Amino acid sequence: MTRHLLQPFDLSRAETERILDLASSIEADPALYQDVAARKRLATLFYEASTRTRLSHETAMQKLGGDVIGFPSADVSSVSKGETMEDTVRVIQVYADIIAMRHPTAGAPMLAAKYSNIPIINAGDGGNEHPTQTLLDMHTIKKRLGRLDNFTIGFCGDLKYGRTVHSLAKSLTRYTGIKFYFISPEELRMPKACITEGMDYVETDSLEDAIGNLDILYMTRIQQERFASPEEYLKFKGVYILDGEKMKLAKPTMAVLHPLPRVDEITPEVDDDPRAAYFEQIQSGLHVRMALIMALLGLKDPKTGKHILDEQ
Ligand code: NCD
């Protein structure tokens, strides 16, 4: 059976942790993994802007010894001629062994997966989900805190449209002792669908009030492209700015995460604070995506001789 990663729960908690463990093994000994995906090909189908996510998937595949094809925006693909998702996928699966897809429409990669006999990785669908970002966020949290349970996390900024927030919060509900602070203006609150039963959470609009309680602060960009008009966006631009003064209110052990790109929500002075973890996340992203590609292609970990995902 073809396995996809369309939303975080497509992987069991145990599988997720095996992918993070494999990412650590890759980090420790990259040479061992440099040919594992030789003669395999990744197609990156990006219908929406990206820097990190596309280049990170492509670099991950190359570091496994595999090849990469694809397009970086819809206007250079046949979508601009009106080709349907179904036809695009039918064509691409002849060329490639795995697809990473980003799309402005929520649910598009899920639709593509219905027609695909090769694994599809959702690299972000509209304001919905971003499960590979979640894997790298979890990897960074684990490295910083040494655990994935019993901590307090504050999500700050655009919680309504921020797909990285939706996927990470969802994933963390599988762990015990997680307390959530959802810090946003009233209009950009966490969608009700993302707040599940039993979630221990507080909603507030004040970063100053919440920051002292946090082990992880997850800052986000106001998602300009999802607003109905530029005026709507301008109402919220600059609403939260993390600077040196606010960092003084935080625990000395707190870690600041951000999926990037940042606009103005973290001032550059915070970059030199040892609590800033957002550039570390980039490194995690590469190793985690290498591990994910191996897992979905059904490759064995050369270190253990075993497959990464459970037999379905
Ligand atoms: C995020 C995304 O695309 O959702 N970026 C990323 O993949 N690292 C966050 C964002 O664009 O704000």
Side-chain angles (χ1 to χ4, degrees):
M1 200 186 98
T2 305
R3 296 285 303 269
H4 307 286
L5 179 61
L6 303 168
Q7 52 96 17
F9 291 172
D10 287 339
L11 298 169
S12 69
R13 183 178 143 168
E15 288 174 330
T16 303
E17 287 171 7
R18 286 206 293 278
I19 288 174
L20 302 187
D21 288 345
L22 175 57
S24 299
S25 303
I26 293 171
E27 215 164 298
D29 187 3
L32 185 63
Y33 297 88
Q34 66 190 4
D35 296 316
V36 291
R39 290 175 297 282
K40 298 284 183 192
R41 189 168 294 124
L42 165 76
T44 52
L45 314 185
F46 275 58
Y47 299 88
E48 192 188 68
S50 165
T51 308
R52 267 154 299 274
T53 308
R54 184 173 59 85
L55 296 181
S56 157
H57 278 96
E58 294 186 353
T59 309
M61 188 53 156
Q62 285 162 353
K63 280 179 168 281
L64 295 170
D67 294 328
V68 174
I69 55 170
F71 51 81
S73 73
D75 43 297
V76 295
S77 76
S78 278
V79 191
S80 63
K81 302 180 191 166
E83 184 167 67
T84 63
M85 177 72 72
E86 183 176 354
D87 285 359
T88 304
V89 168
R90 277 198 181 123
V91 170
I92 301 296
Q93 65 195 10
V94 177
Y95 306 144
D97 302 286
I98 184 165
I99 291 174
M101 177 186 286
R102 169 169 289 193
H103 204 286
T105 308
M110 292 69 169
L111 181 67
K114 288 198 166 62
Y115 308 115
S116 179
N117 57 21
I118 62 173
I120 294 198
I121 297 171
N122 178 1
D125 63 315
N128 191 30
E129 301 266 13
H130 195 344
T132 67
Q133 179 70 40
T134 293
L135 290 174
L136 78 89
D137 293 338
M138 289 171 74
H139 196 56
T140 311
I141 293 171
K142 205 170 156 196
K143 276 193 185 161
R144 282 284 177 141
L145 302 183
R147 61 184 189 280
L148 283 170
D149 52 10
N150 297 306
F151 66 88
T152 300
I153 182 166
F155 289 98
C156 178
D158 187 347
L159 310 188
K160 181 178 179 186
Y161 298 116
R163 55 193 175 195
T164 65
V165 170
H166 305 160
S167 294
L168 179 56
K170 189 171 179 180
S171 257
L172 291 176
T173 59
R174 295 204 281 206
Y175 292 85
T176 54
I178 309 284
K179 170 138 190 168
F180 297 89
Y181 279 82
F182 297 132
I183 309 156
S184 75
E186 185 69 42
E187 296 85 342
L188 301 180
R189 288 260 187 264
M190 193 76 169
K192 289 276 169 288
C194 296
I195 298 181
T196 48
E197 213 174 307
M199 218 177 196
D200 181 6
Y201 74 96
V202 172
E203 284 186 319
T204 172
D205 57 10
S206 171
L207 175 56
E208 285 89 338
D209 288 353
I211 196 167
N213 301 310
L214 309 178
D215 300 304
I216 299 289
L217 170 59
Y218 195 97
M219 291 297 294
T220 64
R221 173 179 73 88
I222 306 295
Q223 305 281 302
Q224 176 172 10
E225 64 278 28
R226 314 256 178 252
F227 285 80
S229 67
E231 294 74 38
E232 266 304 293
Y233 164 66
L234 287 173
K235 278 199 231 162
F236 302 107
K237 186 181 179 314
V239 62
Y240 296 108
I241 297 190
L242 182 67
D243 57 13
E245 280 305 303
K246 290 198 191 79
M247 287 299 282
K248 286 188 191 151
L249 306 171
K251 293 183 190 176
T253 51
M254 188 187 79
V256 183
L257 274 66
H258 190 306
L260 302 179
R262 81 173 134 181
V263 182
D264 54 6
E265 58 280 356
I266 304 180
T267 60
E269 67 182 323
V270 180
D271 299 356
D272 298 326
D273 191 306
R275 290 170 289 183
Y278 32 92
F279 292 114
E280 239 168 78
Q281 281 171 272
I282 307 299
Q283 197 68 40
S284 294
L286 197 54
H287 296 132
V288 154
R289 289 182 176 117
M290 288 170 78
L292 175 68
I293 290 170
M294 283 180 63
L296 293 177
L297 284 177
L299 303 174
K300 285 184 185 158
D301 179 353
K303 199 172 136 196
T304 60
K306 289 188 184 148
H307 288 110
I308 300 110
L309 300 185
D310 296 332
E311 298 292 329
Q312 292 282 306

